Amino acid sequence: GNGGSYRNVATVTREQMSKEGKYHCEISELLPGREYRVLAIARTRFKPCHGAQTMFDTKAVFRTKAAVPTAPDKVVLSSRNRTSLKIRWVAPDGCGSGIQGYDLAWCKALHEEAGEAAGEDGSGGYKEDGEWEEVKETLSAKDTSWQLKKLAPGQNYGFRVRAINTEGKGRWSPAAFYSTAASVPSAPENIRTVTLADDMAGKLTLEWDTPSNNGAAIYAYVLEQQHTGAFDVVYNGPDTRFTVGGLRAGTMYKFRVK
């Protein structure tokens, strides 16, 4: 029994007695670091005159050997913003020895299904984008949350945790993946002119590099032109190339795109 009623786990007959007059019984499927009560009952093969077949019983208490902690069940998202993710977990079973601390590891991750953000439960559809990096410091036993900072907006990251006790380090928790909040796109770079076969006088074709979307799809670019005075919008659309018309030869123009 382990804090409850006794249950029958084995029956040993007289034929199984050793030469030394001892009986041996192995009890399996026990939990590590637990105290168990054992009750051995001797019964006769015949019914004595007083009616009771139980002649005597003996009781003992023993404890199984402690083991490394079990793995934390799940790492969940506590909070997030554009540059940080905070995770938390529930302390696992110490398996007979108090938990002394936690190791953490994280990695960059890729979503295998394009266009979908990291799930709120940290599951499914992800793969590691590089090696797992273990956090140098070990968290104390009372710390069941941790924050990873200085991250990029709209990116996916993986996390896993393992507990430590006097017996050693337990198994890693299942990997959980979460994404930082999206942000506005980075500025387009390398705006330049290109020459097309059908270019005519008074026209200028511009193109630019696609910037980082920082976690959210880019649906339009705004191209502005300045001759004198303020900038005016000359294009608003999804392409990274546009031909500006109505220009005068030998005139200086400025362009910018966002």
Side-chain angles (χ1 to χ4, degrees):
N2 179 21
S5 59
Y6 288 100
R7 63 183 178 90
N8 185 32
V9 294
T11 299
V12 182
T13 64
R14 184 178 181 83
E15 287 76 14
Q16 295 174 282
M17 184 174 62
S18 68
K19 295 180 179 180
E20 294 79 18
K22 297 180 180 180
Y23 292 96
H24 296 274
C25 177
E26 182 176 322
I27 305 173
S28 60
E29 299 182 4
L30 302 180
L31 297 175
R34 298 293 195 279
E35 186 176 274
Y36 290 88
R37 291 176 291 125
V38 177
L39 173 64
I41 301 175
R43 296 180 182 274
T44 64
R45 290 185 176 180
F46 60 91
K47 188 174 183 179
C49 59
H50 52 70
Q53 289 182 278
T54 300
M55 301 301 292
F56 64 89
D57 60 50
T58 182
K59 297 179 181 180
V61 177
F62 68 90
R63 178 179 292 274
T64 53
K65 186 180 183 299
V68 297
T70 59
D73 181 54
K74 194 174 186 180
V75 177
V76 299
L77 182 66
S78 179
S79 64
R80 69 171 182 167
N81 56 36
R82 291 193 297 269
T83 59
S84 71
L85 291 166
K86 187 174 184 179
I87 57 170
R88 58 183 173 84
W89 58 93
V90 175
D93 187 351
C95 293
S97 178
I99 292 175
Q100 296 178 320
Y102 297 95
D103 284 338
L104 290 103
W106 67 278
C107 71
K108 294 181 179 180
L110 294 175
H111 202 291
E112 295 179 308
E113 298 180 16
E116 294 186 18
E120 291 302 317
D121 63 352
S123 62
Y126 297 90
K127 63 179 181 180
E128 295 87 351
D129 183 20
E131 299 294 326
W132 285 93
E133 181 176 337
E134 290 194 35
V135 179
K136 292 181 179 180
E137 67 272 16
T138 298
L139 272 66
S140 69
K142 65 180 181 180
D143 293 325
T144 54
S145 65
W146 182 71
Q147 187 173 28
L148 182 60
K149 301 178 180 179
K150 298 181 180 180
L151 304 178
Q155 300 300 307
N156 300 317
Y157 297 89
F159 300 90
R160 60 186 186 184
V161 182
R162 66 182 175 189
I164 306 167
N165 66 8
T166 56
E167 299 299 312
K169 297 182 177 184
R171 293 180 294 107
W172 288 106
S173 67
F177 298 90
Y178 300 104
S179 62
T180 50
S183 183
V184 297
S186 300
E189 296 182 349
N190 195 25
I191 184 170
R192 57 199 177 273
T193 60
V194 294
T195 302
L196 302 179
D198 58 351
D199 276 351
M200 300 174 61
K203 291 185 177 181
L204 186 65
T205 299
L206 301 171
E207 70 176 10
W208 51 90
D209 295 339
T210 302
S212 172
N213 63 19
N214 289 331
I218 296 173
Y219 62 87
Y221 297 93
V222 177
L223 177 65
E224 298 179 336
Q225 169 191 319
Q226 182 192 51
H227 172 40
T228 57
F231 278 90
D232 296 316
V233 176
V234 293
Y235 172 70
N236 187 332
D239 299 327
T240 56
R241 175 184 290 182
F242 182 73
T243 299
V244 183
L247 305 177
R248 290 182 292 184
T251 303
M252 179 68 71
Y253 295 91
K254 290 183 179 181
F255 296 92
R256 65 186 184 186
V257 62
K258 62 181 180 181

